[in-house]
DNA sequence: GCAAAAGTGTTACAGATACACCCATGT
DNA sequence: ACATGGGTGTATCTGTAACACTTTTGC
């Protein structure tokens, strides 16, 4: 702690930065864009051609514009720089502000988690590539740590929200959906139980259609969709829930 | 979306802000400091004497110093300005960056959630006051919304982590603890079940001591403590948990 | 008919709430 | 003795995993 004068009674907050240097700093926004590709949870990364961190991989993003909000900025940057426009979900992850996190000087970074459904293949520039989230290449700055935050967040939210809608195509069979969950969670998910869990919670519903069975036979699969394609908490308070008052 | 040129293949991220104005902005850190006081979840607020938002209540905090990290900054400001040094828990909540959130010009704010145990009474300046979190006064900026984020975060984490340690004193009886939980959660928590839940999860343990019964008699209460006084997830994956592989 | 994939029924179990009952103390 | 608050035992409920079994298709 700094050995600074007494308590700042009545000070306005404009007076706080006097002794710790200017409060002006660059601010960037970054995105961990995740998609299930070939049954693996994958991140969109970008290879840096110039220093700092030349040759290493980095998260897409860039400087915050002077007149834009944070959400707005990351959406703009993803659309401009990696041509990603089809995010089904976007949420703020965390902000990192260690003074030495960027070799070029003080730069704060606000990171986002973005999700893309498995059925589309956005056209991305040559210097970007999808990497398995469980097997990251050498990354610059603190970006690898941010990717891990994003994975943890996604795993947790698959358990108590309906985020699944953001990973799956608009319509899907239960065995497809269970593959998406398996890829994102990193462990087996039985299609039969997943179906019941998500039905009970009202997350998914049958479309009435079904998909003809493949060349090897088998019963045709029913087609499902998520009822709501916007994040909702479907399983709040697994424990310490309020009394039933019945 | 902006009708901006093609995809930024190979652009370094220094080139992104060209058309959206300078990326320089003020950054402040704010804290929602919560404590259970008189059986109510309370927030420490500060009354603004000067414009903007003169006379309204605001969260403690201030400008980020030029050489400090975000966590470091909020700790410093709480110590200096409201003399709060005994935080048992501090975590980042969210960063707000709407261009118009501050009338004095572009200011980003990173908000923290800070907790103080119920047994201490930090000496705070005259212009600060504790307010019940469920009955906030008129607040400036977007601070009321931030307080609500903090309450939601705390409620959720009481359910699947051991954050209780940060609200309770080092030692406590189960009926005291259940009052803290009731205040934070906003609903009744039966001491008898809370005890079993927290014991099963290994969050708390008996000290062996007991507290003499009060003037009205009654069996003396056993004294407990949290085994770990650092946040841990104790109930991960209430659902969609990995196969038991037994 | 047989293999394959999807879907159903059922059981088992974990973890929580609700509640009746027992225990230890002060007056 | 009895009132008071703490602690234990137990029934019940909810939601999920596990798994055997049935259904529907292709070959």
């Amino acid at each position: 702690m700094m050995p600074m004068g007494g308590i700042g009674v009545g000070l306005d907050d404009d007076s706080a930065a006097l002794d710790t240097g200017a409060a002006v700093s660059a601010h960037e926004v970054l995105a961990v864009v995740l998609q299930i590709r070939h049954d693996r949870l994958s991140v969109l990364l970008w290879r840096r051609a110039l220093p700092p961190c030349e040759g290493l991989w980095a998260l897409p993003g860039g400087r915050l514009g002077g007149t834009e909000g944070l959400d707005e900025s990351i959406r703009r940057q993803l659309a401009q720089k990696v041509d990603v426009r089809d995010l089904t979900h976007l949420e703020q992850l965390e902000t990192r502000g260690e003074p030495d996190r960027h070799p070029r000087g003080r730069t704060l970074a606000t990171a986002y988690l973005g999700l893309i459904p498995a059925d589309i293949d956005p056209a991305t520039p040559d210097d970007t590539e999808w990497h398995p989230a469980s097997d990251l290449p050498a990354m610059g700055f603190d970006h690898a740590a941010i990717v891990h935050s994003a994975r943890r967040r996604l795993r947790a939210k698959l358990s108590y929200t309906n985020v699944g809608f953001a990973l799956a195509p608009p319509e899907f069979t239960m065995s497809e959906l269970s593959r998406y969950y398996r890829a994102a969670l990193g462990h087996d998910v039985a299609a039969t139980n997943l179906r019941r869990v998500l039905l009970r919670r009202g997350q998914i519903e049958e479309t009435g259609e079904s998909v003809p069975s493949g060349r090897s036979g088998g019963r045709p699969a029913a087609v499902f969709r998520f009822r709501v394609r916007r994040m909702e908490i479907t399983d709040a308070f697994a424990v310490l829930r309020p009394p039933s008052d019945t």
Side-chain angles (χ1 to χ4, degrees), chain A:
Chain A
M1 293 293 159
M2 305 205 173
M4 207 75 48
I7 306 172
V9 182
L11 291 181
D12 203 338
D13 52 11
D14 295 337
S15 62
L18 290 179
D19 34 280
T20 43
V24 174
S25 52
H27 200 103
E28 62 180 1
V29 288
L30 301 170
V32 181
V33 178
L34 298 176
Q35 185 187 27
I36 312 285
R37 298 175 71 86
H38 315 297
D39 287 339
R40 308 194 66 170
L41 183 67
S42 308
V43 208
L44 183 62
L45 298 179
W46 173 76
R47 180 173 219 133
R48 294 186 61 87
L50 304 173
C53 298
E54 181 183 354
L56 298 183
W57 294 85
L59 293 172
R63 289 267 176 81
L64 175 67
T67 58
E68 56 185 2
L70 290 166
D71 296 22
E72 190 185 343
S73 181
I74 191 62
R75 289 205 127 92
R76 172 182 65 80
Q77 312 234 20
L78 289 177
Q80 276 180 22
K81 300 175 96 182
V82 292
D83 206 26
V84 168
R85 295 186 171 77
D86 309 289
L87 293 170
T88 33
H89 178 67
L90 182 68
E91 71 178 53
Q92 200 184 96
L93 257 186
E94 64 189 15
T95 299
R96 303 213 162 211
E98 296 79 16
D100 56 351
R101 64 172 291 281
H102 197 295
R104 279 271 216 267
R106 187 66 191 273
T107 307
L108 301 180
T110 296
Y112 279 79
L113 163 63
L115 300 176
I116 294 183
D119 63 327
I120 69 176
D121 189 14
T124 54
D126 291 344
D127 55 358
T128 66
E129 224 166 78
W130 293 93
H131 293 263
S134 54
D135 185 23
L136 296 175
M139 297 186 66
F141 313 103
D142 47 8
H143 292 195
I146 296 175
V147 174
H148 284 111
S149 292
R151 287 186 69 192
R152 278 196 303 274
R153 175 78 63 95
L154 175 62
R155 288 185 47 158
K157 290 218 164 170
L158 277 173
S159 184
Y160 68 93
T161 73
N162 65 342
V163 249
F165 82 85
L167 295 175
E171 305 200 328
F172 47 84
T173 65
M174 286 314 298
S175 56
E176 284 163 12
L177 190 63
S178 79
R179 284 210 307 280
Y180 302 140
Y181 273 75
R182 176 181 313 124
L185 292 174
H187 63 75
D188 252 31
V189 178
T192 172
N193 288 330
L194 184 63
R195 170 205 186 95
R196 268 192 286 231
V197 169
L198 299 187
L199 277 174
R200 173 189 349 240
R201 295 184 178 176
Q203 284 192 28
I204 60 174
E205 64 189 359
E206 280 191 72
T207 64
E209 318 269 303
S210 68
V211 161
S213 44
R215 40 210 152 293
S216 58
R219 178 168 168 174
V223 175
F224 290 81
R225 68 171 149 250
F226 278 89
R227 293 175 56 166
V228 175
R229 296 180 58 82
R230 189 186 74 247
M231 184 140 85
E232 287 180 345
I233 292 175
T234 60
D235 196 48
F237 304 119
V239 290
L240 297 184
R241 56 172 158 284
S244 49
D245 64 50
T246 52

